Amino acid sequence: MKRFPQERIRNFCIVAHIDHGKSTLADRLMDETGAVTEREKQEQLLDNMDIERERGITIKAQTVRMVYRAQDGEEYLLNLIDTPGHVDFSYEVSRSLSACEGAILVVDAAQGIEAQTLANTYLAIDADLEIIPVVNKIDLPSADPDRVAQEIEDIVGLDAADVIPVSAKSGVGMRDLLEAIVQKVPPPQGEADVPTRALVFDAWFDTYVGAVMLVRVIEGRIGKRQRIKFMIKGSERETTNLSVFTPHQVEVKELGPGEVGAVIAGVKTLSDVLIGDTITTCDNPASEPLPGFQEVKPMVFAGLYPVEAEDYEDLKASLEKLKINDSSFDYEPETSMALGFGFRCGFLGFLHAEIIQERLEREFELNLITTAPTVRYRVVPKKGEPFEIESPAALPDTMDISSIEEPVVLATIHVPSEHLGQVLTLCQERRGTQKDMAVHGNRVQVRYLLPLNEIVTDFHDKLKSATRGYGSFDYELQGYEDSNLVKLDIMVNGDPVDALSLIVHRDHAQTRGAELTRKLKEFIPRQQFAVAIQAAIGSKIIARTTVRALRKNVTAKCYGGDITRKRKLLEKQKAGKKRMKMVGSVEIPQEAFLAALKLGDS
């Protein structure tokens, strides 16, 4: 493999909102530089998972090495680091960005700047990257590249004259873009003869070799058969294989400063690798790791239960396999009176939860019930230290609690001005506090402080409905705030159903309880006795509905005669039903749980 001097290496990534053409642009750049042959061409070449292709999103960051002969006659090595665009994976984005010196900012020529474009751009600016603005999809009938270029200048502050118009679909403007990368993106800095420091910005699991780590060598060198040390984790390993992607894996003997490649070092599971860790060599170790490391913490929690109890062991094995492939989600066994044995899982966000559930159902053919997603609350007890809980069942008695704090996010929403009213109403309903508002042409950017609990379920869907699909939003965590929260219990026939308990704001508890009881009434089959469905806060019942009893006509055989005879039969029936109610238990069908969990859609 040909070695390139540092001044002719360019490391860059592409940042964009979902569906603005990032993966297609990566495909065209590979075509233009001859990285793939005519026979190997396919759409979204870097998106390997079926889910990535179907949803049109990038979940795992990929990397590809391209060689480009510029107009000055020199050959340049271009390392493209593909980043996920969704807010759930923003930590992966920030690590990928710190492996680059430049970023291509892609904006759709028809839709203009969206919330996540902005969020990822600010991440790139914070990482001190050279930004190359690009307007994509200029061949669309509704495209307006000049307006969008002006929007980029107004909102992001990059000169509209520097914006490069391209069409990733047809390949228009690719040469201009490649020249801009060579001219504007600075070459990597870093000495070759100093202690090695390499950033692990992604990792995945391979069945044959274990964990494969994508690294960017900042300074020093990593060689084959060399002992390396993970500075945050503290473990030591020996490298067995070094490779680069062209986009096919090609083995190399060494990775020098500025180079991006994959390191295999006999690491058995992904949980032994931390994204953002620093690799150094054991013979000449660095004194301190690279800055910016964060422990990734799950934000959204949900229970996963098999529909059939005998599938429990299969679910356990499947979660173990997924955990090997995705270290960013956690799970632990939990038991529910209503749903039996299952697992409490922690995810980075709601999309991440959906993807894990879809992979379990598709790849492992499991039939699952997911409980309502909750977030991590902080409980301040009257005695003792504050602690965090992830499920309503873990909430102590109201008498022992001083206060409950919930996570709050700063949401940035981009919306066409004609839909602004509906968006403001939606945010107010979700207990939002408006921070500021800015108008750019016919689009408005609104920023709201919102409780995370209010946006994890269906906020995104509601926003899309209210704005006919044109609204977009992005959020970042702001910390915890004290809030008037209560635990809402649902009782069927006097027994609490733990799988349906929720932590809600006191002002919304009445409405939520009434909705839940009403919804359950539709699905719980009628018994021989009346079944009370109640919503309660502590010992106080705040909503109730009743499933009426099935009634056999015991007086059918009484023709005329004394009324006392009929009364006697009815009293006997009533006493029988009372006795039945004391010993009878109500089976709650799975549809009732699913209906209650999809409450937001009603």
Side-chain angles (χ1 to χ4, degrees), residues 151-213:
E151 213 172 272
I152 291 172
E153 183 171 311
D154 294 346
I155 300 174
V156 185
L158 298 167
D159 194 340
D162 296 339
V163 177
I164 303 167
V166 303
S167 164
K169 198 170 183 182
S170 62
V172 173
M174 288 301 121
R175 281 270 152 190
D176 296 344
L177 178 54
L178 286 162
E179 282 298 323
I181 293 166
V182 167
Q183 301 300 326
K184 293 184 178 177
V185 176
Q189 303 299 310
E191 305 280 320
D193 306 318
V194 295
T196 301
R197 289 202 298 176
L199 172 76
V200 179
F201 64 87
D202 196 20
W204 65 87
F205 184 78
D206 185 290
T207 329
Y208 301 104
V209 296
V212 180
M213 295 161 286

Side-chain angles (χ1 to χ4, degrees), residues 62-82:
Q62 299 288 327
T63 174
V64 64
R65 178 183 179 119
M66 301 173 283
V67 176
Y68 171 64
R69 185 177 288 279
Q71 285 174 355
D72 60 9
E74 293 283 4
E75 279 194 340
Y76 288 85
L77 174 65
L78 310 181
N79 285 316
L80 160 62
I81 291 160
D82 194 21

Side-chain angles (χ1 to χ4, degrees), residues 301-481:
F301 299 85
L304 289 180
Y305 293 87
V307 170
E308 303 297 333
E310 57 264 28
D311 289 345
Y312 176 77
E313 286 302 324
D314 291 347
L315 174 59
K316 187 179 178 184
S318 309
L319 284 169
E320 279 169 12
K321 285 178 188 166
L322 268 190
K323 174 76 179 164
I324 287 171
N325 273 302
D326 182 355
S327 58
S328 57
F329 97 98
D330 288 333
Y331 68 93
E332 56 185 42
E334 85 168 349
T335 320
S336 154
M337 296 284 287
L339 297 173
F341 294 102
F343 293 91
R344 185 101 198 136
C345 302
F347 311 96
L348 297 176
F350 197 57
L351 178 83
H352 188 214
E354 269 186 39
I355 286 165
I356 294 284
Q357 191 188 343
E358 200 168 319
R359 287 185 68 184
L360 284 167
E361 289 178 346
R362 183 184 294 192
E363 294 171 28
F364 301 100
E365 296 178 355
L366 291 165
N367 204 355
L368 299 173
I369 287 179
T370 313
T371 63
T374 62
V375 297
R376 189 183 254 132
Y377 296 97
R378 188 180 289 154
V379 179
V380 182
K382 287 180 178 169
K383 289 177 187 166
E385 290 294 306
F387 58 92
E388 293 184 344
I389 59 159
E390 291 144 18
S391 114
L395 192 67
D397 195 87
T398 328
M399 307 299 289
D400 306 328
I401 299 172
S402 167
S403 65
I404 306 173
E405 295 173 1
E406 62 181 343
V408 177
V409 297
L410 179 63
T412 305
I413 302 169
H414 278 248
V415 47
S417 46
E418 64 265 28
H419 301 301
L420 181 63
Q422 292 97 308
V423 172
L424 296 181
T425 309
L426 175 66
C427 291
Q428 295 297 347
E429 282 170 3
R430 298 299 169 102
R431 302 191 280 124
T433 311
Q434 191 176 322
K435 293 289 285 179
D436 53 44
M437 189 190 294
V439 181
H440 304 287
N442 66 339
R443 289 182 75 79
V444 183
Q445 175 192 316
V446 198
R447 293 198 310 159
Y448 260 91
L449 274 178
L450 285 158
L452 181 62
N453 185 28
E454 294 286 350
I455 64 172
V456 288
T457 39
D458 58 349
F459 182 81
H460 195 247
D461 300 343
K462 287 272 195 287
L463 178 73
K464 288 288 179 195
S465 307
T467 60
R468 296 190 188 168
Y470 289 111
S472 66
F473 95 113
D474 186 90
Y475 63 86
E476 56 179 299
L477 201 63
Q478 295 292 296
Y480 282 83
E481 258 186 26

Side-chain angles (χ1 to χ4, degrees), residues 103 105 113 121 125 129-134 148-163:
L105 168 64
I113 285 188
T121 307
I125 291 168
L129 303 190
E130 181 63 44
I131 295 173
I132 300 170
V134 165
V148 174
Q150 193 54 48
E151 213 172 272
I152 291 172
E153 183 171 311
D154 294 346
I155 300 174
V156 185
L158 298 167
D159 194 340
D162 296 339
V163 177

Side-chain angles (χ1 to χ4, degrees), residues 203-213 230 233 235-238 240 263-273 320-321 323-327:
W204 65 87
F205 184 78
D206 185 290
T207 329
Y208 301 104
V209 296
V212 180
M213 295 161 286
F230 296 96
K233 197 80 179 168
S235 54
E236 292 185 11
R237 291 282 192 277
E238 185 179 301
T240 54
V263 175
I264 295 166
V267 181
K268 299 271 193 308
T269 64
L270 268 193
S271 48
D272 293 337
V273 179
E320 279 169 12
K321 285 178 188 166
K323 174 76 179 164
I324 287 171
N325 273 302
D326 182 355
S327 58

